[in-house]
Amino acid sequence: MKTTIYTCLFLVALFLQLLGFLNAFPLLISSPILFITIFILLTRISQQKRFKGF
């Protein structure tokens, strides 16, 4: 469930980045948002497959 939410946030951030490239949204704001969402999404995906021990 949470991975789906983070994926949707990633798509929104990607859309904002596209608007930033078109000069419709500030690129200095959209770039950190995209970086943070990619970082959170990858962290969430990698934590699901972690071995937690016996």
Side-chain angles (χ1 to χ4, degrees), residues 8-9 13 17 22 54:
C8 291
L9 286 175
Q17 186 71 21
L22 296 173
F54 294 108

Side-chain angles (χ1 to χ4, degrees), residues 13-54:
L14 195 62
F15 181 70
L16 287 176
Q17 186 71 21
L18 183 65
L19 289 177
F21 286 142
L22 296 173
N23 291 329
F25 192 79
L27 201 58
L28 290 174
I29 296 173
S30 63
S31 295
I33 292 172
L34 182 64
F35 174 74
I36 290 169
T37 54
I38 289 173
F39 179 74
I40 291 172
L41 182 65
L42 290 178
T43 304
R44 177 71 182 158
I45 290 172
S46 68
Q47 282 182 350
Q48 287 180 352
K49 297 179 173 67
R50 185 176 295 170
F51 179 70
K52 295 182 176 148
F54 294 108

